[in-house]
Amino acid sequence: MDGRARRVWVAVMGALFLVYAATALIPVGGSTLTVLLGEWPIALAAGAAGGSLLWAAYRRTGPDDDDAPAEGGPDVRSALRNLAWAAFAWCAGALAYGVTGFLGPGSVVSLTLGDLFTLAALPLFVVGFTRLAPWPGGIRTATRHITDSYVCAAAVFSLVWLLVFSPLYEELGEGSGSLGFALVYPVADIAVLCLVIPLAFMSPPGARRAVLPAIGALTLITGADLFDAVGRLTGQPVAGGIGYVVTFAGMALLGALPWLAQRRWTAARITGQGLYRFAPELFAVGALFTATVVLTGAALGTPGTAPVLPLAAGTAVVVLLVRVLGMLEENATLSRMVHNREGHFHELARNSGDVILILDRDGTVHHVSQGTAGAFGYRLEDVLAAPVTALIHPEDVAHTRAVDDLFTERGGQGVHLRLRVRAADGTWRHTESTVSLYEQPGDPPRLLVTTRDISAQVALEDEVKHLTFHDGVTGLPNRAYLEERTSDVLAHRAISDEPTDDVAVVFLDLDGFTAVNDTAGHVRGDHLLGQAALRLRGELDSSVLLARWGGDEFAVLVEGMPHAQKAVDLAERLGRSIASQPFHVADREIVLTASIGVAFAAPGGDSGELLRNADVAMTRAKERGSGHVEVFAAHMHDMVVSRVELQIRLRRALEEGEFFLEYQPIVDLGTSRVTAVEALVRWDRDGEEVGPDAFLGAAEESGLIVPLGEWILREACEKVAVWRVSDWDIGLSVNLSATQVLSPRFVETVGTVLLETGLSAEVLTLEVDEELLLDDGEEAVRRLRELRSLGVRLAIDDYGMGYASLAHLRELSVDEIKVDPSFTADLGRDDTVTLITRTIVRLGRELGVQVVAEGIERTEQLEQLRSMGCDYGQGFLVARPMPAAGVEALVGGEADVTL
């Protein structure tokens, strides 16, 4: 409706109202024309108002309707429809009054059908009004609004009672019981009026053009009901039926509501700061203050009432009202502070790199920070579309149940969660979140979630954990992991009473690997270890744990082994996998074997004992030779303990000088002349002479053989040098172990000893076992060449047992070979041994190498060797090992022996 049409409508309605109001001045039969017309004009006005409201609601219905309800805003169509139904209810009540008026006068002490229709109009009016001025959200806010409205209604009714109904109550006397029925309308109207008036101040600005006419219409109807109640009690219409005129005006104003309001309605709620937010409190305070002043004044004017009590009560109420106003101001300040903090919070959320969410209890996202897009790649609308639980890994959803306690306990402590969250690219990100309760006045409690992406931190933790429990060379679990896993397995079986004899540990050591590191370098040695790990892994099931124990040692933890023999078979299979094919190192192929120990878990035993037993068994296998498998037995541990104690005792013996030398002469079998002596070490252990067989093995295992060997070499060289200064033409032979030859700076040590003792290099013969040439071939040959370059003589000891290559004899230019005593012992008894010995002697003579036969103990052995052409020999028949003084006595004369 345009402005001109609106003005025409107002003019017409004003004219009708004036005409109808004039009827209250026209007397008809002791009454007025208004009273005579009764409820019919009101029914007509109410019906017209309902039709007007329905027509306006229909016109605002369409696909392009601008009045469609928005969240938190007015619902215009629903408001107009409900107000229309309220108008029709008033119309039905007026019609009912008009019909019953023909039948007889109404009763003051009962409610009629018209009363029921009229009372039903009030809740319909409230529903329609709250569609224009929305009801305050939240249970707390609604409860506060209702209580404030009740206080306001009670105060207003107190004024109405004092000014209007109190005199009537005194006049009615015994008939005052009918007063309660007459007050139904005024009480209901005042309650509804006090309920909806504060909502007018809280309504959206664009809806107030409709809200205010509705408030005006209800105010007029309330006033008319007051006149009607007085008329019912007195039996005479007030002022010639002025109540009918006022009701007619209220209905006309209600019908004009859609035409007085704007066409477009603003949907958004008010968001500014002001006292309008406390409209219910202010309205209640104002009504209560007015009622207090009026009631106090009335009490003071009442005869027989002392003025002290009304003054005290009135002033107390006034002071209380002042205090309430102060609380409202404090509340406004607090609300302003909350609003400011809310703004700071949103500003912080926008600038934070973390993801900040505000969630409803069901996980629906109420607010999300800008950092979400950068952190997880989502658009903001994507995050708002679904509950956050849809993004959490299914295995981690159960962890979020602790959040429910925040709503029940309402504690200040937040909940810390580590969850996996799906990013926009489909990957799972590790996150760390803090969840706390987020409460805002007037809103339901929500959750404040601060989330940080810690995927990089978790990846680093996993890498550190992997490095802590895995070997960097082979990629296998390391010693720490094996120990922990073994301990867990045995502990679990002890708790569950499961048998432990099906748990076994296999230790494996690569024979000869040290030479690979020494010759090819540690880088190529690590490459070989990687190849060995792949071979071993290929022989094992995925359920079997393979670990690198350290150095060239591997360990296998086997669970669920039904029979002990199965573990032994597995160990042998692992050994075959190592020895089956050569390893490719640089441009060479290296063949290795493995010494393997097997141990089984004993009932009540711990992981340390099991691993130690497997290590002991492996050590025993190495002592037996390359490529052996040994199963742990109880006596092995005692042997290992004894060996360790022996090594400790040997180190102390070397420090305290308990070792001494004896010398065994080497004789020219043709002339019986002593040509050299072999230095042999002995140990004086607490007055008991201990031979080398009892302690040299332990000395070599512990590495003590290197300093002990240097001492032997220096002591023997000094003694022989002294003898040679005395014009004794005698040579010296000293045995070397593989550990000595391969030890760092050994060649320099030999050169230093010769220089310091003054012994000529060509006098010294260094003996090595031929096994050294087989096990550590290339490196041993290189070291022996360096010794050869010093000018010393080289001899191969125990020749014939290890099948040394003839190429080594030629390559090293060996000066001497010593026939193993086992061959000498069987001369004349075993034709095969005799033939082999004869071949060795002939080979030596043809190569120009000096041949020395060891272990000559019988005369027939001596004769056989002489017949073969063997030049030199030693043994008990020739001369037993003796101290230096014995050698001096033997050599001091002719330097010969009787053979």
Side-chain angles (χ1 to χ4, degrees):
M1 179 182 292
D2 56 16
R4 182 180 179 183
R6 187 181 296 111
R7 287 192 295 271
V8 172
W9 171 265
V10 172
V12 172
M13 295 299 297
L16 290 176
F17 172 73
L18 292 176
V19 170
Y20 184 60
T23 60
L25 302 176
I26 303 174
V28 177
S31 182
T32 63
L33 181 59
T34 302
V35 176
L36 183 64
L37 294 175
E39 300 288 342
W40 297 106
I42 296 175
L44 180 62
S52 174
L53 292 167
L54 276 183
W55 173 251
Y58 172 77
R59 289 189 59 187
R60 284 175 170 82
T61 303
D64 300 325
D65 184 19
D66 294 329
D67 300 327
E71 183 179 1
D75 186 353
V76 178
R77 293 193 297 271
S78 177
L80 294 177
R81 283 196 298 268
N82 283 279
L83 291 176
W85 291 117
F88 286 137
W90 271 310
C91 176
L95 291 175
Y97 287 136
V99 172
T100 55
F102 289 114
L103 301 177
S107 175
V108 178
V109 297
S110 64
L111 296 178
T112 64
L113 180 62
D115 295 328
L116 296 179
F117 280 119
T118 304
L119 291 175
L122 292 177
L124 292 173
F125 180 88
V126 172
V127 174
F129 188 88
T130 54
R131 294 296 188 271
L132 295 175
W135 191 262
I139 297 178
R140 292 182 180 178
T141 305
T143 302
R144 187 186 70 182
H145 181 86
I146 293 174
T147 55
D148 292 339
S149 299
Y150 174 80
V151 171
C152 179
V156 172
F157 180 75
S158 299
L159 294 177
V160 172
W161 172 266
L162 180 64
L163 300 176
V164 178
F165 294 106
S166 178
L168 293 178
Y169 181 79
E170 295 177 358
E171 292 179 5
L172 290 175
E174 295 180 358
S176 61
S178 61
L179 186 63
F181 291 96
L183 295 180
V184 170
Y185 286 132
V187 170
D189 292 339
I190 292 173
V192 173
L193 193 63
C194 292
L195 183 68
V196 299
I197 287 178
L199 296 179
F201 296 94
M202 304 169 65
S203 63
R208 290 182 185 173
R209 299 269 317 256
V211 169
L212 294 179
I215 291 292
L218 183 61
T219 303
L220 291 173
I221 293 173
T222 302
D225 287 340
L226 287 174
F227 291 134
D228 184 64
V230 172
R232 285 191 179 191
L233 292 174
T234 60
Q236 296 293 330
V238 177
I242 190 64
Y244 295 110
V245 177
V246 175
T247 303
F248 182 88
M251 296 300 172
L253 183 59
L254 183 62
L257 182 150
W259 318 113
L260 296 176
Q262 294 179 349
R263 175 67 182 86
R264 298 181 182 271
W265 306 69
T266 303
R269 284 183 178 274
I270 303 174
T271 57
Q273 299 296 312
L275 294 178
Y276 76 92
R277 292 176 295 111
F278 306 108
E281 291 89 342
L282 294 175
F283 195 63
V285 167
L288 187 60
F289 179 79
T290 303
T292 302
V293 173
V294 174
L295 291 175
T296 302
L300 291 174
T302 303
T305 302
V308 178
L309 184 60
L311 283 174
T315 54
V317 173
V318 172
V319 171
L320 179 61
L321 293 177
V322 173
R323 182 70 185 95
V324 170
L325 290 175
M327 292 176 62
L328 290 177
E329 177 59 27
E330 293 176 1
N331 194 4
T333 303
L334 293 176
S335 298
R336 185 167 57 253
M337 293 174 62
V338 171
H339 178 78
N340 292 336
R341 284 198 299 269
E342 185 75 8
H344 295 161
F345 164 73
H346 286 288
E347 184 66 23
L348 178 63
R350 281 193 298 270
N351 297 317
S352 174
D354 294 344
V355 175
I356 300 178
L357 304 171
I358 298 178
L359 307 178
D360 292 330
R361 188 164 187 172
D362 60 356
T364 302
V365 180
H366 184 74
H367 170 80
V368 60
S369 65
Q370 298 291 337
T372 304
F376 297 97
Y378 288 107
R379 297 177 301 175
L380 296 182
E381 54 267 27
D382 294 335
V383 179
L384 296 170
V388 294
T389 51
L391 304 178
I392 300 176
H393 196 284
E395 297 177 0
D396 295 344
V397 172
H399 300 164
T400 62
R401 295 173 183 170
V403 176
D404 293 336
D405 296 337
L406 294 175
F407 291 98
T408 56
E409 298 177 1
R410 297 291 177 93
Q413 296 295 329
V415 177
H416 299 279
L417 301 173
R418 294 190 71 168
L419 306 170
R420 285 167 291 177
V421 175
R422 186 175 67 249
D425 57 3
T427 60
W428 292 104
R429 305 277 188 86
H430 292 268
T431 64
E432 187 175 59
S433 301
T434 300
V435 185
S436 57
L437 197 63
Y438 181 81
E439 294 183 287
Q440 282 288 91
D443 293 332
R446 294 187 172 96
L447 296 174
L448 175 63
V449 183
T450 304
T451 299
R452 176 174 300 175
D453 187 350
I454 59 170
S455 298
Q457 175 184 336
V458 172
L460 181 59
E461 291 174 355
D462 293 341
E463 183 178 357
V464 171
K465 184 177 180 181
H466 180 83
L467 293 176
T468 302
F469 291 103
H470 286 78
D471 173 52
V473 174
T474 61
L476 297 175
N478 59 12
R479 178 174 183 168
Y481 184 86
L482 176 68
E483 291 175 339
E484 183 173 327
R485 176 59 183 165
T486 305
S487 178
D488 291 343
V489 169
L490 296 184
H492 172 73
R493 291 175 178 265
I495 295 174
S496 59
D497 295 329
E498 296 182 12
T500 57
D501 53 2
D502 59 346
V503 178
V505 172
V506 179
F507 266 41
L508 183 146
D509 179 88
L510 300 180
D511 302 319
F513 175 78
T514 304
V516 177
N517 271 345
D518 293 339
T519 58
H522 289 277
V523 174
R524 291 188 173 94
D526 291 345
H527 179 64
L528 188 149
L529 289 175
Q531 296 181 55
L534 289 176
R535 290 191 188 182
L536 296 175
R537 182 74 268 176
E539 297 292 332
L540 300 172
D541 296 335
S542 59
S543 60
V544 178
L545 173 62
L546 171 65
R548 185 186 177 194
W549 183 253
D552 60 344
E553 297 178 4
F554 296 87
V556 180
L557 175 63
V558 186
E559 304 177 49
M561 189 63 65
H563 304 291
Q565 186 59 40
K566 294 288 186 180
V568 178
D569 293 342
L570 174 62
E572 292 177 346
R573 190 167 70 249
L574 295 176
R576 288 193 298 270
S577 69
I578 294 297
S580 60
Q581 297 179 1
F583 291 92
H584 298 279
V585 179
D587 55 349
R588 295 180 296 168
E589 292 186 348
I590 298 177
V591 177
L592 296 180
T593 57
S595 297
I596 304 175
V598 182
F600 297 92
D606 57 16
S607 60
E609 180 183 0
L610 175 59
L611 295 172
R612 183 202 64 198
N613 293 344
D615 194 11
V616 168
M618 183 189 69
T619 303
R620 177 59 180 164
K622 288 182 70 68
E623 292 175 352
R624 291 180 55 194
S626 302
H628 283 83
V629 176
E630 191 75 30
V631 179
F632 176 80
H635 70 278
M636 291 183 182
H637 179 253
D638 298 334
M639 292 173 58
V640 171
V641 173
S642 300
R643 182 65 63 91
V644 172
E645 293 176 351
L646 177 59
Q647 291 172 356
I648 296 173
R649 185 71 177 84
L650 286 174
R651 193 172 299 278
R652 189 170 71 231
L654 181 61
E655 294 173 353
E656 297 178 357
E658 297 180 3
F659 293 102
F660 65 94
L661 294 181
E662 288 188 344
Y663 303 91
Q664 186 172 24
I666 299 174
V667 178
D668 185 335
L669 297 183
T671 64
S672 299
R673 185 176 183 82
V674 176
T675 59
V677 291
E678 179 179 357
L680 302 174
V681 66
R682 301 289 187 264
W683 178 20
D684 182 8
R685 183 174 61 183
D686 301 327
E688 177 187 359
E689 181 179 320
V690 179
D693 292 341
F695 62 83
L696 283 184
E700 184 145 6
E701 286 181 7
S702 64
L704 188 65
I705 192 65
V706 175
L708 178 60
E710 182 179 349
W711 178 86
I712 295 171
L713 179 64
R714 186 179 299 275
E715 185 76 11
C717 287
E718 287 179 354
K719 182 58 68 177
V720 173
V722 171
W723 289 342
R724 291 187 67 83
V725 170
S726 303
D727 294 331
W728 294 351
D729 185 13
I730 190 170
L732 173 64
S733 293
V734 178
N735 285 288
L736 301 178
S737 71
T739 304
Q740 282 180 274
V741 174
L742 298 175
S743 65
R745 303 183 61 83
F746 175 70
V747 177
E748 291 85 344
T749 300
V750 173
T752 301
V753 170
L754 291 175
L755 181 63
E756 293 177 354
T757 61
L759 185 67
S760 300
E762 65 272 9
V763 176
L764 177 62
T765 301
L766 298 178
E767 301 179 8
V768 296
D769 288 340
E770 60 177 335
E771 291 183 358
L772 173 66
L773 302 177
L774 295 176
D775 295 339
D776 304 285
E778 294 187 10
E779 179 64 14
V781 169
R782 186 180 67 83
R783 294 291 182 91
L784 294 176
R785 279 179 184 169
E786 294 176 359
L787 289 173
R788 197 80 169 79
S789 66
L790 295 177
V792 301
R793 302 174 76 251
L794 295 180
I796 297 180
D797 196 15
D798 297 333
Y799 189 80
M801 296 300 294
Y803 308 102
S805 171
L806 295 178
H808 290 144
L809 300 180
R810 181 190 63 190
E811 190 175 2
L812 292 174
S813 300
V814 174
D815 300 285
E816 181 180 305
I817 59 175
K818 303 185 74 171
V819 181
D820 188 85
S822 63
F823 288 97
T824 305
D826 289 335
L827 288 177
R829 298 177 180 175
D830 189 325
D831 293 341
T832 301
V833 172
T834 302
L835 178 60
I836 293 174
T837 306
R838 188 184 303 277
T839 302
I840 293 174
V841 173
R842 182 181 301 169
L843 175 64
R845 294 179 67 88
E846 292 179 356
L847 293 175
V849 175
Q850 180 177 306
V851 179
V852 179
E854 297 182 286
I856 303 176
E857 299 180 354
R858 302 191 311 273
T859 304
E860 60 269 23
Q861 295 170 344
L862 177 62
E863 295 302 327
Q864 287 264 4
L865 291 170
R866 282 175 172 171
S867 65
M868 294 177 185
C870 182
D871 298 325
Y872 300 92
Q874 63 183 122
F876 288 173
L877 180 64
V878 176
R880 290 178 175 272
M882 60 190 69
V887 175
E888 293 171 356
L890 178 64
V891 182
E894 298 292 331
D896 58 6
V897 293
T898 301
L899 294 177

